[in-house]
Amino acid sequence: MQEKTQGRGVWSTKAGFILAAAGSAIGLGNIWRFPYVTGQNGGAAFVLIYILCVICIGLPVMIAELSIGRRSQLNPVGAFRKLAPGSPWVAVGMIGVATGIGILSYYSVVAGWTVGYFFKTVAGDFSRFITSDTSGQIFNSFVRNPTAAIGFLFLFLVLTAAVVMGGVAKGIERWSRILMPALFILLILLTIRSVTLPNAGEGLSFYLKPDFSKITAGTIGKALGQALFSLSLGMGAMITYGSYIARKENIPVAAGYVCLFDTLIAIIAGLMTFPALFAMGLRPDASGPGLVFVLLPTIFAKMPGGFIFGAGFFLLLTLAALTSTISLLEVAVSYMVDEWKWKRLRAVVLMSGLAFIIGIPSALSQGASQWLSSLPLVHLSFLDLANVLLGNYSLTVGAFLIAIFVAYKWGIKSTRQEIEAEGNVFHFGRIWSFLIRFICPVAILIIFIYIIITGDFF
Ligand code: PHE
């Protein structure tokens, strides 16, 4: 990224931007969240709805967010203020900033587990004879230890803060170039091992043969939430990243690539997970947030050189999580730097400190504190509750409002002008405008009403 005169960067190349946006999108959402949410929500039918949500809602909203960002050249709050002066629309930006810090808090807890698992693998904690039972015990005693849970949360936030301090660009663009392909190759290798395990067929059919009787209002809401979470939409991350794209770039093409890569990685992560899960005798709906952490060591144990694969995988996953937390933190930081004229250093320290404090209850909610592990009324852990409220509902409300804003406030015409700047062609522009005006808002509204009527919130 080169610095422009007013101090706002621009991604140095088109590939650079796609890599950075893909870096934000691809992370724990694909490899940790997608498999366990799919497992809890019935498998193949959920995956189909998920893909539908990516195409009909995710992609159009991503185009909308990137356009808002590039037009305004600002953080989400400033962007709404600039495009709709004196209106309450700035609130959408503010909700986005708050949601970003909230997601950062519990996301960093799970990213901390990844760091911990890297060290555990290197230390030789997983023997070649590990079973799903012993692996489950190792996971439980790890996350139950408050010092480790909080320590790794802290460590991960320090890493995130260090990168964001130096300005987003330099790091991400360069890292993503090596990181993404490496992660992809490793995922493919693990998938090959997983699908060739004995009894893999049962897992494949759970993952690929839809059973629509398992679909409820809540399932559809979770598929949509997962799509938005995985694509980093609904809280302004893509507005912020869009503010760094040069005007000569074609936004819809870039958005298309990001959605494609992100979805591909999630689908492959599922293909890696379910055959192994059934082969190891685990139940897809019972494991929750611990799923991949329990499962992966058992796959590594069954690979020649599994130690190397294991260490490599957790290292790459840590870096993939880092390119996502960078974007979560950057939203709040760019807001404070632009709007409050804070120094970058101050904004970074305060916001990552805040995420650390809010992250503590999530870190303690996996067994360290009984109360936080199963909250009264909802019977969810604090981490699960944050994950549903912020990672699903807050992003869904955000995406709904962004679609309404672009379609009816800023306007289809102005958006298209921005997209078609400098002679860019907007392929499928009419389909996009249909989706953003009608399908996105109406579908989200129907899903919400359906969830409220059936009371299927969690
Ligand atoms: N998309 C990221 C992931 O899949 C998480 C994220 C959500 C990042 C929202 C930014 C905004 O890991």
Side-chain angles (χ1 to χ4, degrees):
M1 186 152 118
Q2 303 141 354
E3 294 296 315
K4 279 204 304 195
T5 36
Q6 72 269 43
R8 230 186 158 67
V10 180
W11 307 110
S12 49
T13 58
K14 166 144 162 212
F17 165 69
I18 292 175
L19 282 168
S24 165
I26 298 169
L28 296 172
N30 309 59
I31 289 160
W32 158 72
R33 201 180 195 261
F34 178 77
Y36 95 80
V37 176
T38 303
Q40 284 175 339
N41 287 282
F46 177 86
V47 177
L48 273 181
I49 299 172
Y50 172 80
I51 293 175
L52 216 63
C53 290
V54 169
I55 297 170
C56 299
I57 299 176
L59 181 57
V61 171
M62 186 177 292
I63 293 172
E65 281 200 31
L66 292 175
S67 308
I68 294 175
R70 190 174 68 180
R71 179 43 167 277
S72 62
Q73 296 282 298
L74 285 168
N75 66 87
V77 178
F80 283 104
R81 184 175 292 132
K82 183 162 171 183
L83 299 181
S87 76
W89 282 99
V90 283
V92 180
M94 291 180 179
I95 298 171
V97 170
T99 304
I101 294 298
I103 294 180
L104 178 64
S105 76
Y106 73 83
Y107 194 97
S108 300
V109 170
V110 182
W113 298 348
T114 316
V115 180
Y117 261 56
F118 168 73
F119 288 123
K120 283 172 93 66
T121 312
V122 173
D125 282 10
F126 305 110
S127 83
R128 289 195 43 226
F129 306 104
I130 197 166
T131 62
S132 53
D133 275 346
T134 46
S135 186
Q137 284 157 11
I138 292 176
F139 176 75
N140 283 336
S141 60
F142 174 63
V143 292
R144 212 170 266 158
N145 175 348
T147 323
I150 295 176
F152 283 115
L153 163 68
F154 183 77
L155 177 67
F156 197 82
L157 280 168
V158 169
L159 282 175
T160 305
V163 180
V164 174
M165 208 97 88
V168 189
K170 277 176 252 146
I172 321 181
E173 231 186 283
R174 207 178 312 138
W175 284 20
S176 304
R177 208 177 283 269
I178 314 160
L179 171 66
M180 299 295 162
L183 184 65
F184 190 77
I185 292 168
L186 215 48
L187 262 181
I188 300 273
L189 291 178
L190 296 183
T191 303
I192 294 172
R193 175 67 276 207
S194 176
V195 297
T196 51
L197 287 169
N199 297 329
E202 214 184 323
L204 282 176
S205 86
F206 173 82
Y207 187 54
L208 300 173
K209 261 219 219 111
D211 170 1
F212 287 99
S213 67
K214 292 183 182 151
I215 297 301
T216 63
T219 319
I220 302 174
K222 286 187 190 105
L224 173 61
Q226 175 61 27
L228 297 172
F229 184 91
S230 193
L231 296 169
S232 306
L233 295 173
M235 44 74 65
M238 288 297 161
I239 296 181
T240 310
Y241 273 28
S243 72
Y244 306 123
I245 323 181
R247 291 201 93 206
K248 63 173 195 295
E249 304 305 348
N250 190 317
I251 288 178
V253 171
Y257 275 117
V258 175
C259 289
L260 184 72
F261 291 150
D262 185 74
T263 308
L264 205 62
I265 299 262
I267 300 290
I268 296 175
L271 217 47
M272 168 191 81
T273 308
F274 292 105
L277 188 142
F278 280 84
M280 308 292 173
L282 289 166
R283 285 196 25 223
D285 54 345
S287 310
L291 181 74
V292 293
F293 292 94
V294 174
L295 192 63
L296 283 167
T298 67
I299 307 180
F300 301 140
K302 293 200 162 25
M303 294 173 91
F307 171 80
I308 305 284
F309 285 117
F313 188 82
F314 286 120
L315 183 65
L316 287 173
L317 190 55
T318 300
L319 295 175
L322 190 61
T323 53
S324 300
T325 49
I326 289 167
S327 71
L328 287 163
L329 183 57
E330 176 66 14
V331 171
V333 167
S334 69
Y335 164 59
M336 273 140 192
V337 170
D338 286 349
E339 307 291 309
W340 299 359
K341 307 288 173 234
W342 278 20
K343 287 250 178 320
R344 202 167 176 85
L345 178 73
R346 183 171 176 209
V348 168
V349 171
L350 269 148
M351 286 302 108
S352 48
L354 184 62
F356 174 66
I357 292 168
I358 314 173
I360 291 175
S362 286
L364 298 178
S365 74
Q366 301 300 305
S369 147
Q370 269 317 318
W371 190 78
L372 288 168
S373 304
S374 177
L375 294 171
L377 297 174
V378 289
H379 303 298
L380 291 173
S381 72
F382 189 89
L383 190 149
D384 278 310
L385 185 66
N387 199 9
V388 172
L389 293 183
L390 299 167
N392 284 350
Y393 293 124
S394 188
L395 296 183
T396 306
V397 172
F400 175 76
L401 293 173
I402 288 166
I404 301 275
F405 176 79
V406 161
Y408 302 107
K409 178 72 188 175
W410 185 33
I412 298 288
K413 226 175 109 200
S414 323
T415 315
R416 290 196 65 143
Q417 263 169 13
E418 179 57 35
I419 291 171
E420 289 166 350
E422 304 201 1
N424 274 311
V425 183
F426 189 176
H427 310 280
F428 308 113
R430 291 181 58 182
I431 299 181
W432 172 80
S433 87
F434 176 74
L435 291 171
I436 205 82
R437 273 154 67 209
F438 304 113
I439 302 299
C440 296
V442 173
I444 295 176
L445 210 58
I446 292 177
I447 295 172
F448 257 113
I449 293 172
Y450 190 29
I451 289 175
I452 291 168
I453 291 175
T454 54
D456 196 4
F457 293 103
F458 304 111

